Amino acid sequence: MMHTAGGTWVCRSCENEVPRDSHEDAAMATRDGQRDDGAPAVADATRGSTETTQEPCPAEDCDSDRADYEMMPKPGGSYEVRLFTCVECDHKWRES
């Protein structure tokens, strides 16, 4: 992230300096102009789940080998991930 130092923009990492241009500055998004939508929603693996599979629960105090699962798309749509919920203890995890 760049910060201003007089008439230049300075990189916080490498200290590279670039002269400021008032036309380019006017088009930039600043922290003041950005909106905070809060934290993203976390998927609930039990919502709408209809599939149950044989999958051992990783919780230390659970011996169950059955879990409900749901397929969720990864951000960017490159692939899906399975989200599991243990049928005995409701522990949640994802396929690694």
Side-chain angles (χ1 to χ4, degrees):
M1 177 172 294
M2 304 284 276
H3 68 279
T4 58
T8 61
W9 287 102
V10 181
C11 177
R12 294 184 191 273
S13 305
C14 68
E15 299 299 320
N16 181 44
E17 294 186 16
V18 177
R20 291 183 66 181
D21 179 339
S22 60
H23 295 292
E24 289 180 3
D25 289 359
M28 289 183 183
T30 63
R31 255 192 248 176
D32 296 334
Q34 293 178 357
R35 181 176 85 200
D36 182 8
D37 292 335
V42 176
D44 181 356
T46 61
R47 187 176 36 150
S49 178
T50 58
E51 301 289 328
T52 301
T53 186
Q54 185 171 353
E55 184 72 29
C57 179
E60 290 182 20
D61 56 346
C62 182
D63 294 326
S64 176
D65 66 344
R66 303 294 301 168
D68 293 327
Y69 75 92
E70 180 178 5
M71 299 298 288
M72 297 292 289
K74 290 289 282 184
S78 59
Y79 58 95
E80 290 185 325
V81 64
R82 282 198 301 180
L83 303 176
F84 294 99
T85 302
C86 177
V87 297
E88 296 293 323
C89 70
D90 289 328
H91 177 78
K92 294 174 178 33
W93 71 98
R94 69 177 183 195
E95 187 173 51
S96 52

